Amino acid sequence: MRCLAEPSAPSVGFANGEYIRSNVGSPERLYDSPTDSPESRRCPVFESLVCFKGGSMLCSISSLSLGLAFVVAPALSQQIFDVWATTWDRSQLFKYTDLSPNPVNFVTPGAASQADIVINDGSVFQTIAGFGATLTDSSALVLNNLKNKNPANYWSVLGTLFDPTDGVYSAGLSYLRVPLGASDFSANVYSFDDVAWDSGLYDFNINNAPSYLFSVINDIQSINRYLKVHLLPWSPPGWMKDSGTMKGGSFNSAYISVYANYLLKSIQGFQSHGINTYAISIQNEPENSDSTYPTCLITADQEAEIGRTLRILLDAYGFPSVRIIGYEHNWIDARGFPIQVMQEAQDAFAGVSFHCYSGSVGQQDTFHNAFPDKEIYFTECTGTYGSDWWSDIKWNMDNIFTGSLNHGSSSGLLWNLALDGNGNPKLPGTSSCPKPCRPVVTVNSDGSYSWNQEFFVLGQASKAILPRDVNGPFGQRIGASVGGSLSGLLRVIAFETGRVKASDWKRYSLVVLNWDDNQNGNWDPTPIKATIEFRGKQATYTFPVGVTTLWWYAP
């Protein structure tokens, strides 16, 4: 918000996009902060004052001898003030820049650049649910250990990951995936009812999960009011399977009704810990069976029937808003399992989710074209320690944080939120992650921590979709494309974020990956000067090799 005060009651001037005092020789900005909260929008008490925020006038008041008169403001042009950037050479790591007093202006169009980005806010697509990662038992354990070892660092990590306050240095992650029972990143194998053939679920106990899992989620909730929690099992209890164990095997259809009740009780159990469920899935990776960690083969027919039964239970027991998300597996089978589930039980399922480990992101279109009204989520991908930092940034941005969303996804999630520097702790004996899986944040036993490449891609994307106002809407994807001879060197995605007050200007965000790092086989990172077309106006910005997120406002 920018506020300019008048010491008496002269007329109010306007120049270069700023309201100014008419009785001074140059503009004087009295308050200019990208981090002001919506609560700060009330104008301070001056005799004459004009305030505007995000390009829109909030108030314009002059004190007159006979009362108050409102000054009509001229129309404002769109200007880019706010930039977040992460560059290939790490000279900028999720760095914020305020372009004041020299913003990038949208002006009368000239010649288009060789990279011409066209933003079309007349084409509005899916609302973004959020970005995040999975809080496995192992992630919760290392974070809880950090809390005990160094509380200040613990709260700093959680704040930098999850604080959604507009403009602060934080990724503002708002989507958390949580296993129901053990996964390959747990201390031991357990479910919430390990008493064999307990079809009445009399021995169901949500507190079989470690207490630190719930306490860490509660701490995150204290930071982020928007947090969405997505629950899902890596396996049903072993006695519901032909193998008799949670490690591998197939689901026994005789337990469909029992398992649906088990999932309902899981939601109720999390609620008893103050954690509301946004979504639940029937089974993580239902086409995978591995004898070294909790996994389970569930057919599309079985998942559809479980989903139908669970939907009835959720509606009957006060959880009508909880989404049931199907599939939870790789892109490669997009035309198979998820479509079959929807054909059999589309009234029960809100949508499906995908992982990255086989296939390609464009295969999401197969599902979207078959069921355009159903939601798509992207919920898991991991990198490994020792891979190339910049290559990982490029892949994640291309395939997940522009790619998956441009192919219909409402989320972008990575695998473990936190682990140690060796990709531990893992379930003893598991074959998963033979190369150590890399988390979003590495937490060391001495209480120190470091951010991995996953944090920076998450942060760059998340800054584009978070609510502008407290309790405001999340961003919606809008049309964005690149033309010109250099179009292949940029990947882009754009969003529109609505406001609580209809009179406030909407925020527009553009996320750009410039991966022009090679010329004729030679390493040569080259910034790209691009034009940005928006509502008949044009801005020009030079994108460094890396990821850039831009903000501007328009009515």
Side-chain angles (χ1 to χ4, degrees):
M1 181 170 72
R2 296 172 174 85
C3 294
L4 299 170
E6 304 292 340
S8 55
S11 61
V12 178
F14 181 84
N16 297 322
E18 298 280 353
Y19 287 99
I20 61 172
R21 295 174 13 171
S22 62
N23 60 341
V24 293
S26 60
E28 179 180 347
R29 182 180 296 122
L30 298 182
Y31 185 71
D32 180 3
S33 172
T35 63
D36 62 314
S37 66
E39 291 81 3
S40 70
R41 291 168 53 219
R42 182 180 295 110
C43 288
V45 179
F46 292 100
E47 289 187 70
S48 178
L49 178 76
V50 177
C51 300
F52 74 95
K53 180 178 186 178
S56 61
M57 186 175 72
L58 301 177
C59 48
S60 177
I61 302 172
S62 295
S63 176
L64 303 177
S65 59
L66 296 178
L68 293 175
F70 290 90
V71 180
V72 178
L76 301 177
S77 62
Q78 288 85 53
Q79 298 175 304
I80 299 171
F81 280 95
D82 304 294
V83 181
W84 300 82
T86 296
T87 54
W88 73 273
D89 59 359
R90 310 189 211 188
S91 60
Q92 297 184 72
L93 290 172
F94 194 40
K95 180 183 178 182
Y96 172 74
T97 301
D98 179 358
L99 298 181
S100 300
N102 298 303
V104 173
N105 296 302
F106 283 90
V107 298
T108 301
S113 169
Q114 289 178 290
D116 185 42
I117 301 170
V118 178
I119 309 299
N120 179 10
D121 63 329
S123 296
V124 181
F125 304 102
Q126 74 274 23
T127 296
I128 306 306
F131 299 103
T134 303
L135 187 73
T136 59
D137 289 350
S138 294
S139 292
L141 177 61
V142 298
L143 288 170
N144 189 68
N145 289 344
L146 178 62
K147 184 177 184 179
N148 294 330
K149 181 76 173 182
N150 191 325
N153 278 2
Y154 172 76
W155 288 107
S156 179
V157 165
L158 291 194
T160 305
L161 285 169
F162 293 103
D163 187 348
T165 304
D166 191 69
V168 301
Y169 183 84
S170 166
L173 304 183
S174 52
Y175 202 119
L176 198 65
R177 189 164 163 260
V178 182
L180 294 174
S183 73
D184 40 335
F185 284 84
S186 295
N188 57 279
V189 176
Y190 71 92
S191 76
F192 298 135
D193 190 342
D194 289 321
V195 177
W197 307 296
D198 179 22
S199 295
L201 300 176
Y202 301 112
D203 289 290
F204 183 96
N205 187 357
I206 198 69
N207 293 316
N208 286 356
S211 61
Y212 49 75
L213 176 68
F214 302 115
S215 65
V216 170
I217 297 174
N218 292 152
D219 287 344
I220 295 169
Q221 288 176 312
S222 73
I223 294 170
N224 191 328
R225 71 182 72 200
Y226 309 117
L227 186 71
K228 298 176 179 72
V229 175
H230 183 159
L231 304 176
L232 72 165
W234 262 236
S235 172
W239 51 271
M240 296 187 191
K241 301 164 64 178
D242 63 359
S243 60
T245 173
M246 291 179 68
K247 294 181 177 180
S250 299
F251 180 71
N252 184 340
S253 292
Y255 291 102
I256 282 174
S257 179
V258 178
Y259 189 41
N261 275 279
Y262 176 91
L263 295 175
L264 170 67
K265 283 181 171 289
S266 297
I267 291 173
Q268 293 170 325
F270 270 74
Q271 185 183 54
S272 73
H273 284 275
I275 302 164
N276 293 324
T277 301
Y278 170 78
I280 188 166
S281 293
I282 306 300
Q283 171 64 41
N284 178 65
E285 300 190 343
E287 297 176 307
N288 177 39
S289 175
D290 189 303
S291 62
T292 69
Y293 69 96
T295 51
C296 182
L297 296 175
I298 288 183
T299 68
D301 288 337
Q302 289 173 325
E303 179 161 295
E305 190 169 351
I306 295 166
R308 287 194 297 266
T309 305
L310 178 59
R311 181 75 270 161
I312 293 169
L313 290 171
L314 292 176
D315 293 346
Y317 283 88
F319 300 101
S321 66
V322 173
R323 291 161 164 81
I324 302 177
I325 306 300
Y327 189 47
E328 277 280 344
H329 213 161
N330 292 324
W331 288 317
I332 190 69
D333 195 24
R335 69 174 59 253
F337 192 112
I339 287 180
Q340 184 179 344
V341 167
M342 284 298 165
Q343 288 171 336
E344 296 183 20
Q346 62 178 298
D347 290 342
F349 287 83
V352 301
S353 58
F354 290 97
H355 298 178
C356 74
Y357 305 115
S358 181
S360 59
V361 64
Q363 291 173 292
Q364 288 180 189
D365 290 345
T366 304
F367 176 83
H368 178 70
N369 293 337
F371 293 95
D373 295 330
K374 291 298 181 179
E375 297 171 342
I376 295 173
Y377 294 83
F378 183 87
T379 53
E380 188 182 312
C381 197
T382 190
T384 55
Y385 280 113
S387 60
D388 180 70
W389 189 91
W390 170 232
S391 295
D392 292 337
I393 295 284
K394 289 189 291 184
W395 194 95
N396 278 288
M397 290 304 304
D398 182 36
N399 289 278
I400 301 174
F401 298 103
T402 65
S404 184
L405 273 68
N406 277 326
H407 289 282
S409 177
S410 296
S411 69
L413 275 67
L414 301 177
W415 184 203
N416 281 280
L417 182 66
L419 295 171
D420 69 16
N422 295 311
N424 289 320
K426 292 196 296 185
L427 183 72
T430 181
S431 65
S432 109
C433 291
K435 292 182 178 180
C437 283
R438 186 180 56 240
V440 177
V441 57
T442 296
V443 177
N444 303 308
S445 59
D446 63 359
S448 62
Y449 63 91
S450 59
W451 301 111
N452 296 314
Q453 41 269 57
E454 287 75 8
F455 170 78
F456 300 107
V457 291
L458 283 164
Q460 292 286 158
S462 185
K463 278 301 181 189
I465 58 91
L466 288 172
R468 177 60 185 83
D469 307 314
V470 172
N471 294 326
F474 277 68
Q476 286 184 278
R477 183 172 70 90
I478 58 175
S481 60
V482 189
S485 60
L486 300 181
S487 61
L489 301 176
L490 300 182
R491 291 289 181 266
V492 303
I493 192 166
F495 305 93
E496 172 187 282
T497 302
R499 306 298 297 276
V500 169
K501 288 180 61 179
S503 59
D504 287 342
W505 287 18
K506 296 177 182 179
R507 178 158 70 197
Y508 291 85
S509 304
L510 174 65
V511 182
V512 176
L513 166 67
N514 173 8
W515 55 2
D516 185 14
D517 56 17
N518 194 290
Q519 299 291 328
N520 300 317
N522 298 312
W523 179 252
D524 185 19
T526 304
I528 292 179
K529 185 176 182 180
T531 43
I532 305 168
E533 316 292 344
F534 177 71
R535 294 188 183 176
K537 299 291 185 180
Q538 184 184 81
T540 301
Y541 191 84
T542 299
F543 292 95
V545 174
V547 187
T548 304
T549 303
L550 305 177
W551 289 345
W552 69 94
Y553 294 80

